[in-house]
Amino acid sequence: MTADPETVLDPRRKRLIFRSWHRGTKEMDLLMGSFADRHMAGFTDEQVARYESLLELSDPDLYNWITGAEQAPEDVRSDVFDLLAAHRYAG
């Protein structure tokens, strides 16, 4: 993880960052993990909840929606999803 060591995160946010880096496919690990590292500390509790619901989705579906290969369903779209879709991994 590349989170700022000065940032103290609550256990829920730490768990979500861990889950983001351990999705099951390398592509999703890199996308979701780097996204969580970058944004989790600044999310409101409501945004954290929306991100947590994204983590429950399958890797193939989420990957296709993030990359624009398929249109994301309306119930998936949110400010957090849009931010994730705009995120670019730069490792």
Side-chain angles (χ1 to χ4, degrees):
M1 285 187 299
T2 59
D4 180 2
E6 298 297 314
T7 303
V8 178
L9 297 175
D10 61 74
R12 180 184 185 198
R13 290 171 195 253
K14 287 180 184 178
R15 179 177 44 81
L16 293 176
I17 290 171
F18 180 85
R19 285 180 58 200
S20 298
W21 279 108
H22 298 87
R23 293 286 302 173
T25 63
K26 191 62 171 175
E27 294 85 357
M28 290 303 289
D29 291 351
L30 295 172
L31 282 170
M32 301 293 283
S34 63
F35 176 82
D37 279 353
R38 182 170 297 149
H39 297 286
M40 190 59 62
F43 277 171
T44 65
D45 289 341
E46 293 80 14
Q47 287 173 312
V48 170
R50 287 192 290 278
Y51 182 71
E52 191 168 25
S53 69
L54 291 175
L55 288 177
E56 299 300 322
L57 301 171
S58 73
D59 277 357
D61 288 337
L62 193 54
Y63 183 81
N64 286 339
W65 299 331
I66 290 170
T67 61
E70 296 177 11
Q71 176 109 13
E74 280 301 313
D75 63 331
V76 171
R77 302 277 319 209
S78 70
D79 58 335
V80 175
F81 176 84
D82 291 343
L83 193 59
L84 176 60
H87 174 72
R88 297 295 172 253
Y89 171 75

